[in-house]
Amino acid sequence: MKRNRRISTVAVLALAALVTGTGAGFAATTTPSATPVATHAFDTAPATATATATAPTRSFQGTLPAPTGPYAAGEDVIHLTDASRPDPWVPSSGPRQLTVTMVYPAVPGTGTPAPYMTLAEAAGVIQHSKVPASSGVTPQNLSSVTTHAFDGARPRSGKHPLVVLSPAYEDPRMVLTSLATDLASHGYVVALVGHTYEDSGETLANGQTPPCAICDDPALDFDSVAASRALDVSFVIDQLTHGNTAWRLAHLIDKHKIGMAGHSLGGAAAAATMIADPRVRAGVNMDGTFHPAPTPGQINRPFLMLGAAVNHAPGGDDYTVWEQAWAALGGYKKWLTVAGADHFSFSDLDLLLEEAGFPTPPLSPERGVVITREYVTAFFDQTLKKIHSPLLDGPSPNNPEVLFQS
């Protein structure tokens, strides 16, 4: 997970100015390290007035791309408490509490625009990432990013596959919203899981938004974090597939068609969850190191590995680990890399950075979102809905950046 390191903000800006034209992406500016400590793309924001690039002074107005499917994206936020499990990071806080955003296929024209996040969650992102005031990014405008999701929208009837999404270490669940809304528009129910105390802050049922409790631990065992996330996800699946008490629209879920995708450490969690929970029928790792790499026989169900070429093509930082995981996977599998992408091309973060006026990788953030949406949706269409997707058969002239490694 070498691209998950914290990099000094000034150093990133200085190096980004040199790398932007080389096709290498920000990840190429890092040096090898065994300990991942951050994934916040906003860490690329300049920290001082002497930074190489000039910080933007305009007011930030973020907009995520509209979903591409035939349905609208409805949204509910639910709060779950696992009474059987103390919080693994702050045991004194009591049972494990989780905040989950449910995104579902909805009738267009119903509901009201959903906020991107709460004001407290937005303030947590800004504080945790040390976003400078000169950027124009405030809790008010970050929480108000246009999501194209609608609170209280009328659901489309029927049963739909469930896809659970897990974000990168230190990133809140909302940074996978553009993927969630697109999946919902194509007929999936999506559960965006916030892993409490592992990121910049998730607003809990009591209104509190606790900060990260483990982010400054240099000895943190990421195998343990991935395993803990697997427990989170299995608990969420339990709650969503046993009656309608956890979520008013749980009847929309086809409990026999469940998939999971994650970014960075969330991708490791997808693999860990599949090993521990046979209900998850298909998994996706987006640009994450495996913690640990699966061994033969552990995952014999469909799995997609989708990552930046700079990290996961031959010669990349994580190529050896992905090669080991690839050899162990026993079911339908695809290994795709994206030329010009960086670590954040698979989330909302590069797009938000671009809209705030900061440097972005050679692959445009818009293309990063399109590629992520298209290939993740195609994978779940093929594996959960049994709809063949030619996109997964081989290289596509419409997506020349996407390389099939095997």
Side-chain angles (χ1 to χ4, degrees):
M1 244 173 171
K2 300 178 179 64
R3 15 185 215 295
N4 297 353
R5 296 178 299 279
R6 174 167 289 124
I7 310 166
S8 85
T9 53
V10 174
V12 168
L13 256 295
L15 288 165
L18 299 175
V19 174
T20 298
T22 69
F26 290 168
T29 69
T30 63
T31 53
S33 167
T35 306
V37 287
T39 57
H40 266 302
F42 276 115
D43 281 346
T44 61
T48 70
T50 60
T52 301
T54 302
T57 56
R58 61 182 177 82
S59 177
F60 168 70
Q61 292 182 321
T63 301
L64 302 181
T68 61
Y71 313 122
E75 181 178 304
D76 283 336
V77 176
I78 62 175
H79 301 279
L80 304 175
T81 300
D82 186 353
S84 69
R85 179 182 172 219
D87 189 274
W89 315 124
V90 185
S92 61
S93 66
R96 181 67 163 163
Q97 298 182 68
L98 299 172
T99 300
V100 181
T101 300
M102 302 301 304
V103 191
Y104 56 91
V107 177
T110 63
T112 57
Y116 190 46
M117 57 182 74
T118 67
L119 280 171
E121 288 165 341
V125 169
I126 292 170
Q127 180 179 6
H128 186 76
S129 304
K130 299 179 175 60
V131 179
S134 59
S135 69
V137 179
T138 67
Q140 290 75 20
N141 57 36
L142 183 56
S143 67
S144 300
V145 166
T146 299
T147 66
H148 302 284
F150 296 88
D151 283 332
R154 187 154 43 108
R156 182 181 180 273
S157 61
K159 295 280 189 181
H160 310 281
L162 171 67
V163 173
V164 182
L165 296 182
S166 180
Y169 173 60
E170 294 197 45
D171 287 346
R173 68 192 190 281
M174 291 72 66
V175 300
L176 296 178
T177 296
S178 61
L179 176 57
T181 56
D182 202 58
L183 283 166
S185 78
H186 287 277
Y188 292 87
V189 172
V190 181
L192 272 167
V193 180
H195 301 282
T196 312
Y197 297 114
E198 298 178 27
D199 59 43
S200 55
E202 308 281 343
T203 300
L204 303 176
N206 61 9
Q208 296 180 356
T209 308
C212 190
I214 62 174
C215 292
D216 295 324
D217 182 357
L220 189 63
D221 177 5
F222 281 87
D223 289 6
S224 296
V225 182
S228 176
R229 288 192 175 199
L231 293 175
D232 285 349
V233 171
S234 289
F235 171 69
V236 169
I237 292 172
D238 287 343
Q239 295 296 294
L240 293 175
T241 57
H242 293 112
N244 296 343
T245 56
W247 181 42
R248 66 185 179 90
L249 299 176
H251 62 275
L252 297 175
I253 295 172
D254 183 341
K255 63 183 180 181
H256 302 294
K257 298 178 180 178
I258 299 175
M260 181 178 175
H263 174 227
S264 193
L265 184 59
T273 302
M274 289 191 72
I275 292 170
D277 193 332
R279 293 174 298 179
V280 179
R281 305 303 306 166
V284 180
N285 180 352
M286 299 183 293
D287 210 59
T289 295
F290 289 88
H291 284 284
T295 58
Q298 287 187 314
I299 300 178
N300 292 321
R301 285 156 281 155
F303 204 89
L304 169 65
M305 303 184 339
L306 175 67
V310 70
N311 301 317
H312 299 114
D317 284 348
D318 267 0
Y319 179 76
T320 301
V321 177
W322 273 36
E323 191 175 39
Q324 179 183 351
W326 175 260
L329 295 172
Y332 173 82
K333 57 185 179 179
K334 293 292 177 179
W335 178 353
L336 310 180
T337 59
V338 184
D342 74 355
H343 190 49
F344 307 105
S345 297
F346 307 93
S347 72
D348 300 342
L349 290 175
D350 273 348
L351 185 64
L352 296 178
L353 282 168
E354 179 183 62
E355 291 174 338
F358 295 122
T360 53
L363 180 74
S364 78
E366 293 81 5
R367 284 294 296 154
V369 169
V370 168
I371 288 169
T372 302
R373 286 173 156 188
E374 287 189 356
Y375 283 88
V376 172
T377 300
F379 177 76
F380 286 128
D381 280 351
Q382 183 144 320
T383 57
L384 297 181
K385 293 184 177 181
K386 307 304 180 185
I387 299 172
H388 174 68
S389 176
L391 194 64
L392 297 173
D393 290 342
S396 165
N398 293 329
N399 296 303
E401 308 94 337
V402 180
L403 310 175
F404 282 65
Q405 295 298 321
S406 185

